[in-house]
Amino acid sequence: MKKNCILVALAMLGTINVWADDVPKDTLKVVDVEEVVVIATPKENRKLREQPSSSTILSQQDMRDNQVTSLKSLTAVVPNLFIPDYGSKLTSAIYIRGVGSRINNPSVGLYVDNVPYMDKSAFDFNYADIERIDVLRGPQGTLYGRSAMGGLIRVYTKSPFTYQGTDLRLSAGTYNQYSASVTHYHRVSNKFAFSTGAFYDYAGGFFKNAYLNKKIDRSNSAGGRFRGIYLPTENLKVDLNVSYEYGDQGGYPYGLYDKTTGKTADPAYNEESKYYRNLLNAGLNLEYQGKGFTLSSVSGFQHLRDRMFMDQDFTTDSLYTIVQKQKQNTVSQEFTFKGGSDKGWQWVAGVSGFYQWLKMDAPVTFKESGINMIQGYMDQAMAATPVRVKILDATMPVYGNFDTPTMGAAIFHESTFNRLIWDGLSLTVGLRADYENMEITHDTHATLNTQTYMNGSPMGGVTANDYTINGKEKDDYWILLPKFALKYAFNNQNNIYASVSRGYRSGGYNVQMFSDLIQKQMTSQPGSTTSASVKDVISYDPEYAWNYELGSHLTLWEGKLWADVAAFVMDTRDQQIAQFSPSEMGRMMVNAAHSRSYGGEASLRANLTDALSVNTSYGYTHATFIDFNDGTADYKDKFVPFIPKQTLTVGAQYTVKGDEHSMFDEVRFIANYSGAGKIYWTEKNDVAQNFYGTVNWKICTSIGNAQIDLWSRNFLNKEYNTFYFESSSKGFAQKARPMQFGVDLRCRF
């Protein structure tokens, strides 16, 4: 082993590798990932490509070849999937088929080892020991409920019963990027196996704050994972998974955007912004296999504690800042019962529930320019009177404390009837009933010291004005989520299907609206009233969607070719759209009345020869508002923002195998082109990112139990924007990361 590692180190100057130890070496045959890696899913009786649903499966080798190192790396690798890489780990906005979410509850669900991750703040985590990713497109509400309206991402970690030994990974890249991970997999006996590992990631940052003259997006993160699997009897499995991650991240690299020239300036603002996160996840899977049935229990716990410091105006002016602190605990429990034979009736039924405690402190501090802004509003409100009120404070904190517990419960059933009328034809029907209850106890208060003047002469002394908004709001609702699917299987590898399904995204509260309400109290003329209640201002409704789909999964050319195609129409009601609040101090969610998206997607994998393989995926989505008027403008027929019309990935791999005289076992050359666009950033459709594409490549060398990967991302240094927003009548954008080079070293002991 030492000899192999020494040879790898000597070869580092000129070669590299993708380690193919986990995938069969016969490259002429397209590998069936679901056969190679057996994944236990408590809700399904069939392999994913045998189901009437549009899906993509990524093996560990697929992730390495496409340089998927986090959730945000999946953009365009999966058709019609877009995850803009901006902000911090607090923000993981996922868009599929015309629906998505920038803030609050997600529209696309995430499950890790069958345990739901309820909050987007927990989505962006380290992928050091990930074995496989499944992406299901279209509503998955019947089996998965809330937050699976656009689709579902399922992540699976490596099983210590499948993998043995110790994996060591070291990586270095330009812009001071370094990472290391080590994981040990050990089978103690035929009944017990465990894995334990740790990682550390460091990034020096890609962008500089021109005003502070320092890197703005540097980051540190470290953590680890333990997984233990115990098989006390032949038909019982106990699977425990615990992970922890700490992150210290800079942000946010937003620069002024010029609509005339289309240029984005370097970030330049005066208040340093940061994001800190502590994330603990634990899951316990119990599975009992009886005669003709399987009973499963999945218990989950998530603890998230984070702090965000943000210069909200992103300029050199001292307007306002926010310090947001969250403490969240979530428990979830699901019981599923499935059974049936492959030739007759297959079914699954279950009940689930969750409870989430979320406490948030989010004080907004008005600085010098912000106080001047409020002073201007006051002067304008009293312009017709001889009275003037002068603010005496240099700064003013607006304190916000929010307690938002949420609970939900569901019961569901799905049946598949095979051999319907004739062999190969099957019908799937399902129904889920979801109940959700949410509350908010809020307390927002501020004090402003003022002096009143009458015709220029002071009246009385200094007045301490106390502004307070507090109270409690509550909402609950029921929703039914049906599914119907008809599939015809030509054989066990080729099928065509049609499906109709419904999904939803839960409603909630806009906590950042309280600063606006306090400001209205301050600037309103004495004696004036507002007709809108607090609940009307802060609440937004659930979002619903029906998806109509026609698709096919094909395995052709004696297993050397995989093809997956689908066409869809998605009709969305009460679509949730993220906008800045009227004061532009915070973000808020509003409901668009009606939107519709239609399009298609296709994925292709083929091994043309023993040495050459190709893959491509393409997605098209046409998403527009059918009915949406927010009171300031009518957006009918406008494109829904943040939805790329097209996503595209084209890749190829060429393999050179070593012989008995070679110092290497295998060298692979991998290149791919990935792109997305056109993406409109606003409801007005007045700012957009045209279609862009990046070239990425790897040269991969394996020597025994060691490997080296030499890689480049955005090799042609393509310039484009990953995000855009407007605040204080200004536009801001985040640029894409520039060209990078790096090297990875992996060894197995």
Side-chain angles (χ1 to χ4, degrees), residues 405-416:
T406 305
M407 65 84 66
I411 182 170
F412 59 90
H413 176 88
E414 184 175 288
S415 286
T416 298

Side-chain angles (χ1 to χ4, degrees), residues 381-639:
M382 298 182 179
T385 72
V387 178
R388 292 292 182 270
V389 177
K390 183 179 180 180
I391 301 174
L392 303 179
D393 298 307
T395 63
M396 182 191 67
V398 179
Y399 297 99
N401 307 106
F402 312 100
D403 186 2
T404 54
T406 305
M407 65 84 66
I411 182 170
F412 59 90
H413 176 88
E414 184 175 288
S415 286
T416 298
F417 303 95
N418 298 311
R419 291 184 172 180
L420 187 70
I421 304 177
W422 60 78
D423 285 348
L425 186 64
S426 63
L427 173 67
T428 298
V429 294
L431 182 65
R432 181 188 187 99
D434 257 31
Y435 171 77
E436 190 160 330
N437 179 288
M438 54 187 182
E439 299 179 4
I440 181 170
T441 302
H442 56 88
D443 177 17
T444 304
H445 56 276
T447 299
L448 194 63
N449 293 298
T450 61
Q451 173 68 64
T452 303
Y453 294 84
M454 174 69 74
N455 294 322
S457 299
M459 297 175 57
V462 175
T463 302
N465 302 275
D466 294 320
Y467 302 94
T468 302
I469 299 176
N470 53 42
K472 183 176 182 179
E473 312 295 341
K474 180 185 293 187
D475 287 280
D476 67 340
Y477 49 85
W478 284 90
I479 184 171
L480 296 178
L481 303 170
K483 176 182 178 179
F484 308 93
L486 197 64
K487 186 192 77 171
Y488 179 73
F490 305 99
N491 51 50
N492 62 356
Q493 292 184 315
N494 298 275
N495 59 68
I496 187 172
Y497 67 88
S499 67
V500 179
S501 58
R502 192 187 192 207
Y504 87 103
R505 178 186 176 201
S506 56
Y509 303 107
N510 293 309
V511 298
Q512 294 187 15
M513 284 300 297
F514 287 99
S515 295
D516 288 67
L517 293 173
I518 285 288
Q519 183 179 310
K520 287 181 179 179
Q521 280 191 5
M522 295 176 180
T523 59
S524 62
Q525 191 170 345
S528 64
T529 60
T530 176
S531 59
S533 68
V534 171
K535 185 175 181 179
D536 291 337
V537 175
I538 67 171
S539 301
Y540 58 91
D541 296 328
E543 179 181 64
Y544 309 92
W546 282 96
N547 183 75
Y548 309 88
E549 184 175 323
L550 179 66
S552 179
H553 301 290
L554 302 171
T555 304
L556 307 171
W557 196 17
E558 298 181 348
K560 303 169 190 174
L561 174 66
W562 273 16
D564 300 286
V565 296
F568 66 89
V569 176
M570 183 173 285
D571 195 72
T572 306
R573 304 282 178 159
D574 292 326
Q575 182 161 10
Q576 297 171 10
I577 301 295
Q579 295 181 331
F580 271 82
S581 61
S583 69
E584 300 184 336
M585 289 188 298
R587 296 168 298 176
M588 58 181 288
M589 193 72 76
V590 299
N591 291 99
H594 188 191
S595 71
R596 181 177 296 132
S597 61
Y598 62 84
E601 52 221 12
S603 297
L604 180 73
R605 303 185 191 184
N607 281 18
L608 303 181
T609 68
D610 285 338
L612 180 63
S613 63
V614 297
N615 66 87
T616 184
S617 67
Y618 174 77
Y620 175 79
T621 300
H622 185 278
T624 56
F625 293 114
I626 303 301
D627 180 15
F628 179 30
N629 190 319
D630 64 1
T632 61
D634 189 349
Y635 303 110
K636 186 177 185 299
D637 297 329
K638 296 290 186 180
F639 287 95

